[in-house]
Amino acid sequence: MLDNVDPFIGTAATDLPRARGLAGTWWWPKPQVGNTHPGATSPLGMVSACAYSGAYPTGYGLYTKNTEGVPEEMFGQVQASGFTHFQQSGTGAIRKYYNYVRVTPMVQPLDVLGEAWGLRDEVAEAGYYAATLDTGVRCELTVGAKVAVHRYTFPAHRSARVVIDLSCGGLGIEHGRTVPLRAQVENMGRGRVQGTVVMEGVPLSVHVDVDAPGWRQMLWYDRRLIEGGTRLDFDSIRHTNLRPFGMLFMGPVSAGQTVEVRLGFSLRGCEQARENLEAECGVGRESFDVVRARTRVRWGDHLDRVRVEGGTKSRRTVFTTALYHSLIKPCVADDESPFWPTPGPYAFDVCTMWDIYKTQLPLLSAIVPDKAAGLLESLIRVCEEEGNFPIGYRMARGADRFFRQGSALAHTALADAHALGWTQFDWNWALVHMADDLRRMYGEDFFEHGVVHPISHTLDLAYAHHCTAKVARALNDRRLADDLENRSRLWPNAFDLATGLLRDSEFYEGGKWNYSFRLLHDMAARIALAGGDEAFIDKLDRFFGYGAEPVKQPGLRPRLAEMAAGYALNRFEGLNNEPDMEVPWAYHYAGRPDRTAEVVHSALTWQFGTGPGGLPGNDDSGGLSSWYVWASLGLFPIAGQSMFLVNAPAFERAVLKAGGNEFVIETSGHRETPISVDGIEREPAAQYVQSATLNGVPLHATHLSAADVHRGGVLHLRLGPEPSGWGRGHRPPSLSDPPATSREKS
């Protein structure tokens, strides 16, 4: 699995063959670029390291800020002014851009620091990145959980340099720069320096150990060396008085000589940064190969938790890279919170819950439950400290909540964790925060009026009340559970009974069609509100473009009229955006899992590929890649309901290590199908589930409980080329279903 990872997927503008069939009718409103980076990462680790050009949004690459259509280039070539740490992965306009502690190997004077040089011979693997600067310096990067190690191989030069710029942060776009508020740098001699910069209200400390015997080391300010200086202190820095500053190592090199730079990071001071460095790198010894090997082993272990068999080489590459992208963020750093002093996990780069709660959090809960628990524990602490469960949370002072995206989304993951029997939490205390959070932000209007605009928040809040009610009932707080459940039944207030769609409102990226088919906790009543199965299916068919003509995607700098015409299609956004990514499975609730099979098959065939342009839109911290993983396995998690929907998988056999147990998805009658980059001229026909068994027992329903998956077992799916009657009469559960009899439960 590890050798199939290609970190370059998603780093460039979308470059996929023109979609045919159903997928050709879907319209993409958001930027056609994955916004990923190829830098060195560790699974859910604190640190990343990558070449820095200042481009949007990760600091790597070519592009300026973009919100729709084909991204515009800032540069004519891939270039770098050095190598920075802490990058986002696949996000868009997140406002906090990181790229701290720039390290630049130079054979030029310090005066040219900040100049960018072209990159060639780039190599990227899980946990490793390398490239050669046009100056002739070969640059290699690797990271551990809390450290980064750089190795530079120089050409012969009488005065080579390694320059560390602590003032660097952000991007080279308008309003993209991050300015430190305060800073201190200390030259400790013997190849060691350390410093702290307060960025976005967070003290980021670094302890640096440079293996360059015989070289001089000096502090510098405003590109001028400070001979004999041992310390720099800045008590108040503003945009108007900021000058670059940092540390420099300088000396002669022979051709092929290497210099290793080891950096330990902490959010709790230089002493802890030193301890982190020594824990992973030892003291004063070369450690690049050791750290790289350990991180590779870590990646191998994590990627091995979802194994697939069969499929074309391209499909395996796309799948494994999707799994890799799903495991980069959020960052979970034990004992690193700068805001509370007690031990325990500190999670940041939750970018954002709106992007990840449907797909990525259930994936993390399955394959890395310890890290998922750490994330949830950290979110509870954020709520405790700051008063809200965050929608987005950065390495920054204050929860960057992105509150317009959604409301009370963390409740889904907490409800699922409780249903799985996780005992790491004080659930009574968690329930207090879950219930209190429902009354904050838009929640107060929902409490008072039973409806809130943007109207999608009405659905969010009703669903969160349902999730919280389940936890309250399990904890025997019946009064609270009854009250919450009653409010969870207010979701119809969001709908226009005349159309069966959401009421007119403002919407965050998308329109009412994109939000109207959300998988609610009472889909039976939702379908009845639309006029029954046939009316609901007719609307879904229109939404997915059945029988529609192919559409043209937005190009470079799309005009307002072009975008308005696209939105007016009221069409599925084709995995280019988040609001409707779960909607293909809405057919399950209307007894048409065959339609789900067709839509998902089209997406897997045409919307993902190999190479830098292989993603249809922003990967959004792994939310999109997690969708691909689940869809390829033939499962889809219903976040907050502790349930999976079943569909035809893309691989003949797969093994999911969920909760420490192996859940096997095996097939008979499976037919290998290529993806678009394999050169197909027309869409291969979808396959459909004909019958299913779970651990040898016939499975007539199209869903499984999360407990079934997490306890391990074997799901066998018999596939065929034509739709069947499987699942048509056994709908996934809904809140308004009559209580099951003991016979039905068994």
Side-chain angles (χ1 to χ4, degrees), residues 483-518:
D483 179 64
L484 293 170
E485 186 174 299
N486 287 336
R487 294 183 190 281
S488 82
R489 298 178 186 273
L490 297 176
W491 62 265
N493 293 346
F495 285 88
D496 180 348
L497 298 182
T499 65
L501 301 172
L502 288 175
R503 293 162 56 178
D504 290 335
S505 184
E506 59 183 57
F507 294 91
Y508 189 93
E509 297 182 359
K512 66 181 178 182
W513 280 77
N514 302 108
Y515 285 90
S516 284
F517 304 104
R518 292 262 300 270

Side-chain angles (χ1 to χ4, degrees), residues 28 30 71 128 132-133 238 377 379 407 422 459 491 522 557 570 590 602 643 679 745:
W28 307 349
K30 283 183 69 176
Y128 175 81
T132 300
L133 296 172
R238 298 180 179 178
E377 182 180 337
L379 293 179
S407 291
W422 288 11
L459 301 184
W491 62 265
D522 199 349
R557 293 190 295 275
N570 298 319
S602 292
M643 179 173 68
K745 289 179 180 178

Side-chain angles (χ1 to χ4, degrees), residues 405-417:
Q405 287 186 328
S407 291
L409 303 181
H411 296 61
T412 62
L414 288 164
D416 284 343

Side-chain angles (χ1 to χ4, degrees), residues 389-413:
F389 280 112
I391 299 300
Y393 198 81
R394 313 286 184 265
M395 187 171 67
R397 169 67 73 178
D400 189 1
R401 294 182 181 87
F402 268 68
F403 66 92
R404 288 186 62 247
Q405 287 186 328
S407 291
L409 303 181
H411 296 61
T412 62

Side-chain angles (χ1 to χ4, degrees), residues 14 21 60 147 192 211 267 277 292 296 393 473 548 701 737 740:
T14 300
Y60 171 85
V147 305
R192 291 203 162 199
D211 186 16
L267 305 180
L277 177 65
R292 179 185 177 186
R296 182 174 175 83
Y393 198 81
R473 199 169 300 285
D737 288 343

Side-chain angles (χ1 to χ4, degrees), residues 429-450:
W429 190 226
L431 177 61
V432 168
H433 291 299
M434 292 174 73
D436 286 351
D437 188 70
L438 295 172
R439 294 286 297 271
R440 297 177 177 131
M441 306 296 285
Y442 291 109
E444 189 63 29
D445 276 351
F446 181 80
F447 183 84
E448 295 290 340
H449 308 295

Side-chain angles (χ1 to χ4, degrees), residues 411 414-419 427-428 430-431 434 465-477 480-481 484:
H411 296 61
L414 288 164
D416 284 343
H418 187 271
W427 279 110
N428 288 295
L431 177 61
M434 292 174 73
H465 277 74
H466 171 70
C467 294
T468 309
K470 292 199 301 181
V471 176
R473 199 169 300 285
L475 296 176
N476 293 317
D477 192 336
L480 176 61
L484 293 170

